[in-house]
Amino acid sequence: MTSLYQSSITSLAVLGRGKVRDNYAVGDDKILIVTTDRLSAFDVVMSEPIPGKGKVLNQMSDFWFEQLSALVPNHLTGIAPESVVSPNEAEQVRGRAVVAKRLKPILVEAVVRGYLIGSGWKDYQETGAVCGITLPAGLPQAAKLVEPIFTPAAKADLGEHDENISFEDMEQRIGAELAGKMRAISIALYKAAADYAATRGIIIADTKFEFGLDDDGVLHLMDEVLTADSSRFWPADSYRVGISPPSFDKQFVRDYLETITTWNKTAPAPKLPPDVIEKTGAKYREALERLTGAKLKE
């Protein structure tokens, strides 16, 4: 499978490049988002691509945008990406790009946690709370929470760690009304997705959503949604309380990097071995197939 580490669209103006996505202007009101095969771990972009990863993320986001469209508007326009670039650039966007509405991004990530894992578990062990939300005492690792909790994070610059913030801080940053709307919609999205995923034998432990506003101030779901990059997916048949379950995401890469004691989790990243690249790609494709019932479109 061929890979795309960085796109090189010259027919459109570059707006910016993130850890995984390259963004281009399509007129004044739309944006071409190209999902590359780059992978980041610990907020550091790896030097090697994961072949096909961008197409997996794009196909999975498209699936979820459609599944959840009744709950909140999203950034999709339905315009074919191949139609906005030069013919010789079509292969760079085929299967891995969308033409989206150009929205004003809200610089707070909407994180929803349904299980006690990751940084939430570490926080709970130290404070008995997750991002300031007090939880019952004595919960084990990977415990299912009685109700999902909303734990926002302030978006950081490229290469920096996002900062967990309190809901009160979020209200101060973007206003109480918008913060409340984001929280309610995010929890509704998580519950709907988790209920669906359960029918496919998948647990969604946590996820993050990103939102933007259009010119009329209408809230839209944007960027990516419920992918293996933005979520923690567990196979339900191997879920056990008290351990960190295996997951369909880049945890495989994180676990490998944790074995490299000489790396301090800053750029440049160590080289990924071929077997780690191959197994990571397989995890992403398996998540897509199990959740959507469809194989990756080549």
Side-chain angles (χ1 to χ4, degrees):
M1 186 180 293
T2 57
S3 61
L4 180 74
Y5 189 80
Q6 180 172 299
S7 62
S8 54
I9 306 295
T10 58
S11 58
L12 301 173
V14 179
L15 291 174
R17 301 185 193 277
K19 293 170 190 168
V20 175
R21 287 167 182 79
D22 297 340
N23 299 326
Y24 298 86
V26 180
D28 295 328
D29 60 346
K30 291 182 283 294
I31 182 172
L32 176 72
I33 304 173
V34 182
T35 307
T36 73
D37 294 329
R38 296 193 294 269
L39 181 141
S40 72
F42 304 112
D43 292 310
V44 177
V45 179
M46 302 293 107
S47 300
E48 300 82 19
I50 307 297
K53 171 179 173 283
K55 291 185 176 183
V56 170
L57 297 183
N58 198 66
Q59 190 171 322
M60 189 173 284
S61 281
D62 283 352
F63 169 82
W64 285 116
F65 279 128
E66 183 176 349
Q67 283 281 123
L68 303 170
S69 60
L71 294 176
V72 62
N74 62 59
H75 71 179
L76 296 181
T77 64
I79 297 171
E82 294 90 340
S83 70
V84 301
V85 299
S86 297
N88 64 327
E89 296 168 334
E91 198 53 41
Q92 292 187 60
V93 302
R94 187 170 289 117
R96 63 166 72 248
V98 294
V99 179
K101 301 172 188 175
R102 195 165 180 176
L103 304 168
K104 179 185 177 183
I106 298 168
L107 299 180
V108 176
E109 286 190 337
V111 181
V112 183
R113 303 171 189 268
Y115 291 75
L116 194 53
I117 199 70
S119 62
W121 167 241
K122 291 178 183 175
D123 195 2
Y124 174 76
Q125 287 179 294
E126 294 170 3
T127 68
V130 177
C131 299
I133 301 172
T134 302
L135 297 176
L139 294 177
Q141 185 180 27
K144 182 178 182 179
L145 303 178
V146 175
E147 282 292 323
I149 59 174
F150 180 77
T151 59
K155 285 185 68 65
D157 293 333
L158 188 63
E160 301 295 323
H161 295 281
D162 293 338
E163 174 195 1
N164 290 335
I165 60 174
S166 66
F167 183 71
E168 291 70 29
D169 190 354
M170 180 180 178
E171 289 180 310
Q172 290 289 325
R173 291 172 186 242
I174 68 171
E177 183 180 353
L178 182 56
K181 185 180 291 187
M182 278 180 61
R183 178 170 64 181
I185 289 174
S186 297
I187 290 174
L189 289 169
Y190 172 82
K191 285 182 173 180
D195 287 347
Y196 170 82
T199 69
R200 308 290 303 181
I202 298 288
I203 292 169
I204 304 177
D206 51 43
T207 194
K208 64 180 178 182
F209 301 110
E210 297 199 33
F211 293 93
L213 299 171
D214 68 9
D215 290 341
D216 296 321
V218 176
L219 191 67
H220 284 65
L221 187 60
M222 57 176 272
D223 195 56
E224 64 178 323
V225 58
L226 291 151
T227 70
D229 267 12
S230 67
S231 316
R232 205 182 307 258
F233 297 133
W234 294 335
D237 55 9
S238 57
Y239 167 68
R240 302 288 183 275
V241 173
I243 62 167
S244 180
S247 54
F248 294 114
D249 56 23
K250 54 190 171 185
Q251 192 61 44
F252 194 83
V253 171
R254 290 194 198 101
D255 290 344
Y256 166 74
L257 294 172
E258 290 281 18
T259 68
I260 304 175
T261 56
T262 55
W263 186 52
N264 62 358
K265 296 179 182 174
T266 59
K271 188 175 176 63
L272 295 179
D275 67 311
V276 171
I277 293 172
E278 183 181 340
K279 289 175 183 174
T280 300
K283 285 282 185 187
Y284 276 78
R285 291 190 298 274
E286 185 179 357
L288 174 70
E289 291 173 19
R290 287 188 60 163
L291 272 170
T292 70
K295 290 188 177 293
L296 178 62
K297 299 171 187 173
E298 296 298 337

